[in-house]
Amino acid sequence: GDSVTQMEGPVTLSEEAFLTINCTYTATGYPSLFWYVQYPGEGLQLLLKATKADDKGSNKGFEATYRKETTSFHLEKGSVQVSDSAVYFCALISFAGGTSYGKLTFGQGTILTVHP
Amino acid sequence: GAGVSQTPSNKVTEKGKYVELRCDPISGHTALYWYRQSLGQGPEFLIYFQGTGAADDSGLPNDRFFAVRPEGSVSTLKIQRTERGDSAVYLCASSPRGQGGGYEQYFGPGTRLTVT
Protein backbone atom coordinates (compact mmCIF):
# COMPACT_ATOMS: atom_id res chain seq x y z
CA GLY A 1 0.00 0.00 0.00
CA ASP A 2 0.88 3.68 -0.13
CA SER A 3 3.09 5.15 2.59
CA VAL A 4 4.96 8.34 3.42
CA THR A 5 8.00 8.56 5.67
CA GLN A 6 9.21 11.85 7.13
CA MET A 7 12.41 12.59 8.95
CA GLU A 8 12.35 12.17 12.69
CA GLY A 9 11.57 15.30 14.63
CA PRO A 10 11.27 17.64 16.33
CA VAL A 11 13.45 20.15 14.50
CA THR A 12 14.69 23.23 16.33
CA LEU A 13 16.36 26.07 14.42
CA SER A 14 17.41 29.66 14.94
CA GLU A 15 15.79 32.37 12.87
CA GLU A 16 17.30 32.74 9.36
CA ALA A 17 18.67 29.19 9.40
CA PHE A 18 18.24 26.85 6.43
CA LEU A 19 15.52 24.23 6.72
CA THR A 20 15.27 20.77 5.20
CA ILE A 21 12.60 18.25 6.14
CA ASN A 22 13.06 14.94 4.35
CA CYS A 23 10.14 13.02 2.88
CA THR A 24 10.17 9.75 0.95
CA TYR A 25 7.23 7.78 -0.32
CA THR A 26 6.01 4.44 -1.61
CA ALA A 27 3.01 4.45 -3.92
CA THR A 28 1.18 2.42 -6.50
CA GLY A 29 0.66 4.34 -9.69
CA TYR A 30 1.92 7.84 -10.20
CA PRO A 31 1.18 9.99 -7.15
CA SER A 32 0.68 13.68 -6.64
CA LEU A 33 2.71 15.00 -3.69
CA PHE A 34 1.85 17.60 -1.09
CA TRP A 35 3.14 19.42 1.95
CA TYR A 36 0.55 20.47 4.53
CA VAL A 37 1.20 22.73 7.52
CA GLN A 38 -0.61 22.93 10.85
CA TYR A 39 0.07 26.13 12.79
CA PRO A 40 -0.62 26.11 16.54
CA GLY A 41 -4.35 26.17 17.18
CA GLU A 42 -5.25 26.05 13.50
CA GLY A 43 -6.39 23.44 10.98
CA LEU A 44 -4.33 21.76 8.29
CA GLN A 45 -3.48 24.00 5.32
CA LEU A 46 -2.00 23.10 1.97
CA LEU A 47 1.48 24.61 1.73
CA LEU A 48 2.55 23.40 -1.72
CA LYS A 49 2.10 20.58 -4.19
CA ALA A 50 3.63 18.90 -7.25
CA THR A 51 1.77 16.62 -9.64
CA LYS A 52 4.49 15.19 -11.87
CA ALA A 53 8.17 14.28 -11.84
CA ASP A 54 10.63 17.20 -11.67
CA ASP A 55 7.86 19.66 -10.79
CA LYS A 56 8.80 22.15 -8.10
CA GLY A 57 6.09 23.33 -5.74
CA SER A 58 6.68 26.61 -3.94
CA ASN A 59 4.86 28.91 -1.53
CA LYS A 60 5.81 31.38 1.23
CA GLY A 61 9.52 30.82 0.57
CA PHE A 62 9.18 27.03 0.92
CA GLU A 63 9.87 24.72 -1.99
CA ALA A 64 9.97 21.01 -2.75
CA THR A 65 10.88 19.12 -5.92
CA TYR A 66 9.18 15.88 -7.01
CA ARG A 67 12.01 13.38 -7.48
CA LYS A 68 10.69 10.19 -9.05
CA GLU A 69 14.09 8.49 -9.19
CA THR A 70 14.60 8.78 -5.44
CA THR A 71 10.86 8.75 -4.54
CA SER A 72 11.39 11.90 -2.50
CA PHE A 73 9.77 15.30 -1.93
CA HIS A 74 11.99 17.12 0.55
CA LEU A 75 10.81 20.47 1.93
CA GLU A 76 13.31 23.35 2.01
CA LYS A 77 13.41 26.99 3.02
CA GLY A 78 16.45 29.19 2.81
CA SER A 79 15.75 31.38 5.85
CA VAL A 80 13.17 30.38 8.42
CA GLN A 81 11.22 32.78 10.62
CA VAL A 82 9.70 32.37 14.06
CA SER A 83 6.28 32.41 12.38
CA ASP A 84 7.20 29.19 10.51
CA SER A 85 6.97 27.24 13.76
CA ALA A 86 4.36 24.57 13.07
CA VAL A 87 3.87 20.89 12.28
CA TYR A 88 4.63 19.93 8.68
CA PHE A 89 3.08 16.89 6.97
CA CYS A 90 4.16 15.31 3.72
CA ALA A 91 1.32 13.56 1.88
CA LEU A 92 0.42 11.89 -1.40
CA ILE A 93 -2.57 10.96 -3.53
CA SER A 94 -2.03 7.82 -5.54
CA PHE A 95 -3.36 7.29 -9.05
CA ALA A 96 -3.33 3.51 -9.29
CA GLY A 97 -5.24 2.37 -12.35
CA GLY A 98 -5.51 5.92 -13.63
CA THR A 99 -8.17 7.01 -11.18
CA SER A 100 -8.10 8.60 -7.78
CA TYR A 101 -10.65 9.67 -5.27
CA GLY A 102 -8.27 12.14 -3.71
CA LYS A 103 -7.61 10.08 -0.61
CA LEU A 104 -4.56 11.57 1.09
CA THR A 105 -1.91 9.39 2.72
CA PHE A 106 0.10 11.39 5.28
CA GLY A 107 3.47 11.04 6.93
CA GLN A 108 3.69 11.25 10.70
CA GLY A 109 4.50 14.95 10.77
CA THR A 110 7.58 16.96 11.76
CA ILE A 111 7.42 19.58 14.50
CA LEU A 112 9.44 22.68 13.64
CA THR A 113 10.33 25.24 16.29
CA VAL A 114 12.17 28.41 15.27
CA HIS A 115 13.81 30.54 17.97
CA PRO A 116 14.55 34.27 17.60
CA GLY B 1 -16.15 32.80 2.51
CA ALA B 2 -16.81 30.32 5.27
CA GLY B 3 -14.46 27.40 5.60
CA VAL B 4 -15.14 23.86 6.73
CA SER B 5 -16.70 23.81 10.16
CA GLN B 6 -16.88 20.94 12.62
CA THR B 7 -18.90 20.54 15.78
CA PRO B 8 -18.35 20.01 18.58
CA SER B 9 -14.76 21.15 18.88
CA ASN B 10 -14.30 18.90 21.88
CA LYS B 11 -16.24 15.87 23.00
CA VAL B 12 -15.66 13.85 26.14
CA THR B 13 -17.65 10.65 26.49
CA GLU B 14 -17.61 7.53 28.56
CA LYS B 15 -16.57 4.16 27.21
CA GLY B 16 -19.50 2.39 25.60
CA LYS B 17 -21.45 5.53 24.72
CA TYR B 18 -22.58 6.65 21.26
CA VAL B 19 -21.25 9.87 19.69
CA GLU B 20 -21.98 11.92 16.59
CA LEU B 21 -19.51 14.32 15.02
CA ARG B 22 -20.71 16.86 12.49
CA CYS B 23 -18.98 18.38 9.47
CA ASP B 24 -20.27 21.32 7.45
CA PRO B 25 -18.23 21.57 4.21
CA ILE B 26 -17.59 24.58 2.04
CA SER B 27 -20.70 25.40 0.06
CA GLY B 28 -20.69 23.76 -3.36
CA HIS B 29 -17.98 21.23 -2.58
CA THR B 30 -19.16 17.82 -3.74
CA ALA B 31 -16.35 15.76 -2.22
CA LEU B 32 -16.11 15.25 1.54
CA TYR B 33 -13.51 13.27 3.48
CA TRP B 34 -13.14 12.15 7.09
CA TYR B 35 -9.73 11.50 8.62
CA ARG B 36 -8.60 10.51 12.12
CA GLN B 37 -5.44 11.90 13.71
CA SER B 38 -4.00 10.18 16.76
CA LEU B 39 -1.51 11.99 18.98
CA GLY B 40 1.87 12.40 17.28
CA GLN B 41 0.67 10.88 14.01
CA GLY B 42 -0.47 12.12 10.65
CA PRO B 43 -4.13 11.99 9.69
CA GLU B 44 -5.45 8.63 8.49
CA PHE B 45 -8.22 8.32 5.92
CA LEU B 46 -11.57 7.00 7.09
CA ILE B 47 -14.21 7.60 4.41
CA TYR B 48 -14.89 9.62 1.25
CA PHE B 49 -18.22 10.91 -0.05
CA GLN B 50 -18.93 12.10 -3.57
CA GLY B 51 -22.31 13.77 -3.25
CA THR B 52 -24.57 11.71 -1.03
CA GLY B 53 -22.88 8.36 -1.51
CA ALA B 54 -19.89 6.88 0.28
CA ALA B 55 -17.52 6.17 -2.62
CA ASP B 56 -14.77 4.71 -0.44
CA ASP B 57 -15.20 3.60 3.17
CA SER B 58 -12.12 1.39 3.26
CA GLY B 59 -10.56 3.37 6.11
CA LEU B 60 -13.33 2.82 8.66
CA PRO B 61 -11.67 0.66 11.34
CA ASN B 62 -14.69 -1.53 12.14
CA ASP B 63 -18.48 -1.65 12.04
CA ARG B 64 -18.82 0.63 15.07
CA PHE B 65 -17.99 3.51 12.76
CA PHE B 66 -20.53 4.84 10.26
CA ALA B 67 -20.95 8.08 8.35
CA VAL B 68 -23.76 9.67 6.38
CA ARG B 69 -24.25 12.62 4.08
CA PRO B 70 -27.97 12.48 3.27
CA GLU B 71 -28.32 15.70 1.29
CA GLY B 72 -24.85 15.92 -0.18
CA SER B 73 -23.75 18.69 2.16
CA VAL B 74 -23.45 18.20 5.93
CA SER B 75 -21.95 14.90 7.04
CA THR B 76 -22.17 13.10 10.37
CA LEU B 77 -19.64 10.56 11.61
CA LYS B 78 -21.23 8.16 14.08
CA ILE B 79 -19.35 5.98 16.53
CA GLN B 80 -21.17 3.29 18.51
CA ARG B 81 -19.98 1.66 21.73
CA THR B 82 -16.97 3.97 21.96
CA GLU B 83 -13.67 2.58 23.19
CA ARG B 84 -10.69 4.38 24.72
CA GLY B 85 -8.74 3.64 21.54
CA ASP B 86 -11.17 5.84 19.60
CA SER B 87 -9.75 8.92 21.32
CA ALA B 88 -8.27 11.13 18.60
CA VAL B 89 -8.89 14.27 16.59
CA TYR B 90 -11.40 13.66 13.82
CA LEU B 91 -10.82 15.86 10.79
CA CYS B 92 -13.16 16.65 7.96
CA ALA B 93 -12.10 18.02 4.59
CA SER B 94 -13.98 19.08 1.48
CA SER B 95 -12.96 19.59 -2.11
CA PRO B 96 -14.66 20.90 -5.25
CA ARG B 97 -14.31 17.45 -6.78
CA GLY B 98 -13.01 14.11 -5.56
CA GLN B 99 -11.53 12.60 -8.66
CA GLY B 100 -8.09 13.73 -9.62
CA GLY B 101 -5.33 14.98 -7.40
CA GLY B 102 -5.30 18.58 -8.53
CA TYR B 103 -8.13 19.70 -6.27
CA GLU B 104 -7.11 21.05 -2.90
CA GLN B 105 -8.75 19.57 0.17
CA TYR B 106 -9.79 22.20 2.70
CA PHE B 107 -9.65 20.96 6.27
CA GLY B 108 -11.81 21.86 9.22
CA PRO B 109 -10.40 22.51 12.70
CA GLY B 110 -11.28 19.03 13.88
CA THR B 111 -13.22 17.49 16.76
CA ARG B 112 -11.12 16.23 19.65
CA LEU B 113 -12.80 13.09 20.98
CA THR B 114 -11.79 11.78 24.38
CA VAL B 115 -13.21 8.48 25.60
CA THR B 116 -12.82 7.97 29.35
Side-chain angles (χ1 to χ4, degrees), chain A residues 32 34 36 38 43-44 46 49 51 89 93 95 100-104 106-109, chain B residues 33 35 37 40-43 45 48 56 58 91 98-102 104-105 107-108:
Chain A
S32 289
F34 305 82
Y36 278 80
Q38 191 168 35
L44 274 169
L46 178 64
K49 68 179 183 183
T51 57
F89 294 92
I93 292 175
F95 284 81
S100 167
Y101 293 130
K103 176 176 71 176
L104 284 160
F106 286 88
Q108 75 271 29
Chain B
Y33 306 82
Y35 296 84
Q37 186 175 15
Q41 301 297 316
F45 170 79
Y48 154 68
D56 182 355
S58 62
L91 299 171
Q99 292 193 338
E104 179 177 350
Q105 292 183 28
F107 282 81

Side-chain angles (χ1 to χ4, degrees), chain A residues 25 30-36 46-58 63-68 72-74 90-95 104, chain B residues 101-102:
Chain A
Y25 66 88
Y30 198 7
S32 289
L33 302 174
F34 305 82
W35 276 99
Y36 278 80
L46 178 64
L47 180 60
L48 54 84
K49 68 179 183 183
T51 57
K52 60 182 188 295
D54 300 324
D55 265 3
K56 178 184 284 188
S58 61
E63 57 184 34
T65 301
Y66 188 142
R67 300 289 187 198
K68 186 166 181 274
S72 64
F73 193 54
H74 305 320
C90 186
L92 66 83
I93 292 175
S94 181
F95 284 81
L104 284 160

